[in-house]
Amino acid sequence: MSLKSRLNRSELTIGSWVTLGHPSIAEIMASAGFDWLVLDMEHSVLELGEVQSIIQVLDAKQCPAIVRLTSNHPDQIKRVMDAGATGIMVPMIKSAADAKAAVDGVYYPPRGQRGVGLARAQGYGASFQAYRQWLEENAVIVVMIEHVDAVKAIDEILAVPGIDAYIIGPYDLSGSMGRPGDLNHPDVQAAIAQVLEAGRRAQKPGGIHVIEPDSQALLQRIAAGFNFLGYALDIRILDSICRTHLQSIRATLKTS
């Protein structure tokens, strides 16, 4: 079953973030069993050529590749989709118009406004019509809710046809509320709860990014009702494992 179908059924899916450019890292993460992986072009140094190479690896592993964009710009949307991405994650969506612009960037006319080109996604020109059908049945558009203006307009945003899921960016959201990084502040928690409730009303899967590789924190988010969860990212998983194991080894050596 495709990721889009799973989202339409509001199934629980757990993904993670890729910020390092070597395809082997993404391959290891896909092999571990993540339901999807986000290739982060917003907060990493990943370039488009690296993103396409990683997408090729993920395709071989049948792991959906979602590209987090640097902005909601049709040129970038077109290029990452032409590279073969399953979908996009769009930062700083603040209104229904922003959400509609993202949908327009993914789909060809008459549904959208994406320019037509022949690249990897279209079989380098050999399978354009097949790709058009694939796009309608499989493309995934995730909006990032990370500003207080988005919270105020959340019902209108989630009502835009073509939006498949949302994910909350808690740090930017707290910053837009004048409380950067204070994620436990009652106002920030109330905004998160408001978005979660709107998602329930709209029957749109949604989630939040659990930055640290903390399984208990992830389970708490699932218990709260989120079902599109980002769990950690490559650099935090690597750093956490290295530190935890070395600390354990050194503690054992001191007592031996």
Side-chain angles (χ1 to χ4, degrees):
M1 185 180 295
S2 71
L3 176 59
K4 190 180 189 76
S5 296
R6 295 183 69 185
L7 294 177
N8 287 339
R9 293 161 61 94
S10 293
E11 290 186 16
L12 170 66
T13 64
I14 300 172
S16 190
W17 254 244
V18 176
T19 66
L20 300 174
H22 201 292
S24 293
I25 294 169
E27 186 175 33
I28 291 168
M29 295 175 74
S31 298
F34 284 110
D35 295 309
W36 42 267
L37 289 172
V38 169
L39 313 185
D40 191 352
M41 295 187 74
E42 184 182 17
H43 290 296
S44 79
V45 296
L46 288 179
E47 299 289 348
L48 185 58
E50 293 173 307
V51 166
Q52 177 168 303
S53 295
I54 295 170
I55 291 171
Q56 289 171 308
V57 167
L58 296 185
D59 280 352
K61 288 292 181 179
Q62 297 184 321
C63 178
I66 301 171
V67 178
R68 178 157 82 162
L69 308 171
T70 60
S71 65
N72 189 13
H73 196 288
D75 287 350
Q76 189 177 51
I77 295 173
K78 174 174 57 181
R79 296 187 76 193
V80 300
M81 292 303 294
D82 283 350
T86 300
I88 56 172
M89 181 176 287
V90 192
M92 280 296 168
I93 295 294
K94 298 180 185 178
S95 67
D98 289 345
K100 177 63 164 57
V103 175
D104 284 345
V106 167
Y107 291 102
Y108 297 118
R111 182 174 181 181
Q113 299 179 15
R114 177 177 167 187
V116 177
L118 302 178
R120 178 177 179 270
Q122 302 84 8
Y124 303 101
S127 53
F128 175 71
Q129 295 302 329
Y131 176 70
R132 283 187 61 196
Q133 182 175 348
W134 177 93
L135 193 69
E136 293 292 331
E137 297 173 354
N138 295 280
V140 170
I141 301 174
V142 182
V143 292
M144 297 200 72
I145 307 301
E146 49 187 352
H147 195 278
V148 66
D149 290 348
V151 178
K152 295 174 183 176
I154 188 61
D155 290 310
E156 292 84 359
I157 290 170
L158 297 182
V160 172
I163 299 303
D164 296 290
Y166 72 87
I167 194 163
I168 297 170
Y171 282 93
D172 281 327
L173 176 59
S174 66
S176 75
M177 301 176 72
R179 303 185 181 280
D182 190 2
L183 305 186
N184 292 318
H185 190 277
D187 291 347
V188 178
Q189 287 298 307
I192 291 172
Q194 184 178 340
V195 174
L196 178 59
E197 182 56 34
R200 288 194 182 112
R201 288 195 301 270
Q203 297 184 320
K204 292 287 184 181
I208 198 163
H209 191 183
V210 178
I211 304 296
E212 294 300 316
D214 180 343
S215 60
Q216 289 304 309
L218 182 76
L219 292 173
Q220 288 171 5
R221 294 299 191 181
I222 294 171
F226 291 113
N227 55 3
F228 181 75
L229 279 299
Y231 184 62
L233 60 157
D234 49 11
I235 56 175
R236 293 305 310 134
I237 294 170
L238 179 61
D239 177 71
S240 176
I241 291 295
C242 289
R243 290 177 186 272
T244 300
H245 282 248
L246 281 173
Q247 287 171 1
S248 176
I249 291 167
R250 286 170 176 155
T252 301
L253 290 173
K254 285 182 181 179
T255 58
S256 61

